[in-house]
């Protein structure tokens, strides 16, 4: 029997983080033929996707920040200023992001939202709830939604 001693540390260490990420990526690539086929291709890299709405004064009225990766659009943030809500701006921003993602070869989109934000808005845009996490954070429900594009 081998007895091993380990020292456990908890400090933030960016070099170790990067090493861990690299080793996990290598392990995943070895275990998955899909990820192995992506390795070294342009599809392996995340590409930023931003869509902005500016009002007549040039101020930010709304925006969408996300990225594409493989055949997916990931919407990270979608926000519309209170003064412009209800005018279809959120739908326009999302539709433009989906159009751009489709042009990049994406076939699906995903996003997360909280119960007090916009799950019903996304459902109206054709998104389906695929995951519900209650109490994340406590008292709030998080939803993950996806949509087939095209």
């Amino acid at each position: 029997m081998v007895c091993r001693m380990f020292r456990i540390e908890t400090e933030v260490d960016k070099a170790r983080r990067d090493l861990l990420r690299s080793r996990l990526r290598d392990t995943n690539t070895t275990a998955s033929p899909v990820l192995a086929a992506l390795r070294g291709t342009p599809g392996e890299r995340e590409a930023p996707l931003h869509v902005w709405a500016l009002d007549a004064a040039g101020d930010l009225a709304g925006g969408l920040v996300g990225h594409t990766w493989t055949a997916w659009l990931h919407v990270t943030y979608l926000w519309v200023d209170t003064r412009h809500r209800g005018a279809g701006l959120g739908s326009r921003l999302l539709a433009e992001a989906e159009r751009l993602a489709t042009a990049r070869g994406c076939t699906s989109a995903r996003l997360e939202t909280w119960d007090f934000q916009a799950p019903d808005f996304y459902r109206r845009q054709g998104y389906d709830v695929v995951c519900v996490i209650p109490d994340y954070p406590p008292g709030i429900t998080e939803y993950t939604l996806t949509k087939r594009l095209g």
Side-chain angles (χ1 to χ4, degrees):
M1 175 183 232
V2 175
C3 180
R4 295 191 175 132
M5 300 293 290
F6 298 97
R7 183 178 72 237
I8 304 298
E9 297 179 357
T10 59
E11 77 275 359
V12 174
D13 185 323
K14 291 180 182 179
R16 286 183 184 158
R17 178 205 60 200
D18 293 344
L19 177 60
L20 181 89
R21 180 179 180 184
S22 174
R23 288 183 178 174
L24 179 60
R25 184 174 165 224
D26 290 345
T27 300
N28 291 345
T29 300
T30 300
S32 168
V34 172
L35 293 176
L38 281 171
R39 194 76 184 260
T41 70
E44 180 186 33
R45 291 183 291 281
E46 293 180 1
L49 190 149
H50 298 180
V51 182
W52 307 108
L54 306 176
D55 66 16
D59 294 326
L60 184 65
L64 181 148
V65 172
H67 66 271
T68 56
W69 178 71
T70 68
W72 283 81
L73 163 64
H74 188 133
V75 176
T76 308
Y77 309 119
L78 173 59
W79 173 82
V80 174
D81 189 282
T82 309
R83 296 169 295 159
H84 303 293
R85 292 185 187 158
L89 185 53
S91 298
R92 288 179 58 198
L93 290 165
L94 189 57
E96 180 63 8
E98 292 171 357
R99 185 190 71 73
L100 293 168
T102 300
R104 293 182 184 184
C106 292
T107 57
S108 300
R110 65 167 287 171
L111 57 89
E112 296 83 28
T113 190
W114 285 318
D115 55 3
F116 66 88
Q117 289 178 319
D120 292 333
F121 164 78
Y122 292 115
R123 284 186 189 109
R124 288 192 304 272
Q125 308 307 312
Y127 284 75
D128 297 311
V129 174
V130 296
C131 179
V132 178
I133 305 174
D135 288 326
Y136 185 75
I140 296 173
T141 299
E142 182 181 84
Y143 295 87
T144 301
L145 298 96
T146 63
K147 178 181 179 179
R148 298 293 293 171
L149 300 177

